[in-house]
Amino acid sequence: MPVERITKEQLKERLDRGETPTILDVRLKYAYEHSTVKLPGAIRVPPYAVESVSIPGSGDIVAYDSDPNELVSTHVAAELLRKGIKISVLKGGVPEWLAANFPIETKEAPRSAPPEPGSLKG
């Protein structure tokens, strides 16, 4: 089943025009949790739970992941297409979006606890 792709420029143009596609962040757990950025308005949908999640909104849906080859988002899109949900995949994923210096939102990422005083002495 072919999955439609959308370029970063096309998505940014839609956002600039005030359109509000539903943007799904389907990055794998580690890539999502250890990142401090996401696309504007993106909703987190774990790729392993896409079949059991209700996708909000109606109209345009765009999925993205952290792989420049869109492996995860293509898999998620194929699952949703089988359910009759129209969706496209962001070509190049979040790496290309970031490389273009397009708008992002910040999010929390896990932080390591500082070392105990004196624990770093050899």
Side-chain angles (χ1 to χ4, degrees):
M1 180 177 302
V3 175
E4 183 180 326
R5 301 288 200 279
I6 181 172
T7 66
K8 60 188 178 294
E9 294 85 5
Q10 290 169 320
L11 179 57
K12 183 174 184 304
E13 187 177 298
R14 287 183 185 179
L15 295 172
D16 288 347
R17 284 195 310 253
E19 293 180 26
T20 54
T22 301
I23 302 174
L24 305 180
D25 184 328
V26 297
R27 290 179 281 181
L28 294 174
K29 182 179 180 182
Y30 184 89
Y32 176 79
E33 288 182 354
H34 289 84
S35 173
T36 59
V37 298
K38 66 178 189 164
L39 269 64
I43 300 165
R44 172 68 176 148
V45 176
Y48 52 83
V50 73
E51 288 187 18
S52 61
V53 173
S54 150
I55 306 299
S58 61
D60 279 347
I61 300 175
V62 177
Y64 73 91
D65 62 29
S66 58
D67 179 9
N69 296 314
E70 311 99 33
L71 294 176
V72 175
S73 53
T74 300
H75 175 74
V76 166
E79 290 295 318
L80 293 175
L81 283 168
R82 279 193 271 285
K83 291 171 68 174
I85 298 171
K86 186 175 183 284
I87 184 169
S88 57
V89 168
L90 178 62
K91 189 174 182 188
V94 75
E96 285 203 17
W97 185 269
L98 293 172
N101 249 353
F102 286 168
I104 56 166
E105 290 180 2
T106 58
K107 65 175 209 56
E108 288 293 316
R111 296 186 185 150
S112 299
E116 292 295 321
S119 67
L120 299 177
K121 294 179 183 176

